[in-house]
Amino acid sequence: QVHLVESGGGLVQPGGSLRLSCVVSGDIGSINTGNWYRQVPGSQHELVATIRSGSTNYADSVKGRFTISRDNTERTMYLQMNSLRPEDTAVYLCNVNVRPNGWFVSRDYWGQGTQVTVSS
């Protein structure tokens, strides 16, 4: 069984910073692409950032402000968010493609989400 647990959300003033973490636990064979999404009520998930084999990609709305990274075990994924704006307010969810140990295929797993609120 594979689990993703997120942390690091909260309330921050405009211009402030937060760092989100997503820890992958369980009996893992390999970890592949990792993504951070965000969702506001009434909207679909927005892909914010992706990391795969060390390469990263970002939504235009966060380029230059957000940084996605992993530790060297790849079991912890981060999203460093700087220069936060009110429009960044959302529930942030991590999504990681994992091949569980003993499986021949991988699948996507999701965290539970963490609320980020940017307000003065």
Side-chain angles (χ1 to χ4, degrees):
Q1 190 72 296
V2 175
H3 297 281
L4 273 59
V5 177
E6 301 161 11
S7 61
L11 173 64
V12 64
Q13 291 187 341
S17 298
L18 283 174
R19 188 174 82 157
L20 307 182
S21 299
C22 173
V23 177
V24 183
S25 64
D27 194 6
I28 296 166
S30 62
I31 297 175
N32 305 310
T33 303
N35 301 296
W36 284 98
Y37 286 82
R38 65 187 180 187
Q39 186 172 29
V40 297
S43 300
Q44 292 188 337
H45 288 176
E46 175 190 8
L47 178 59
V48 173
T50 297
I51 186 165
R52 178 173 53 211
S53 301
S55 294
T56 58
N57 283 289
Y58 299 92
D60 287 344
S61 58
V62 307
K63 274 181 187 175
R65 301 188 297 122
F66 290 12
T67 303
I68 188 172
S69 63
R70 281 171 160 162
D71 69 1
N72 51 13
T73 69
E74 297 193 324
R75 288 191 175 228
T76 302
M77 183 170 70
Y78 303 99
L79 185 68
Q80 177 67 44
M81 305 185 294
N82 298 328
S83 302
L84 282 161
R85 304 167 181 169
E87 55 264 38
D88 295 317
T89 295
V91 174
Y92 284 72
L93 303 104
C94 65
N95 162 263
V96 182
N97 186 265
V98 177
R99 182 180 62 77
N101 204 19
W103 287 38
F104 294 103
V105 295
S106 61
R107 54 156 286 192
D108 284 349
Y109 291 85
W110 290 85
Q112 79 284 1
T114 185
Q115 176 70 44
V116 171
T117 302
V118 185
S119 175
S120 54

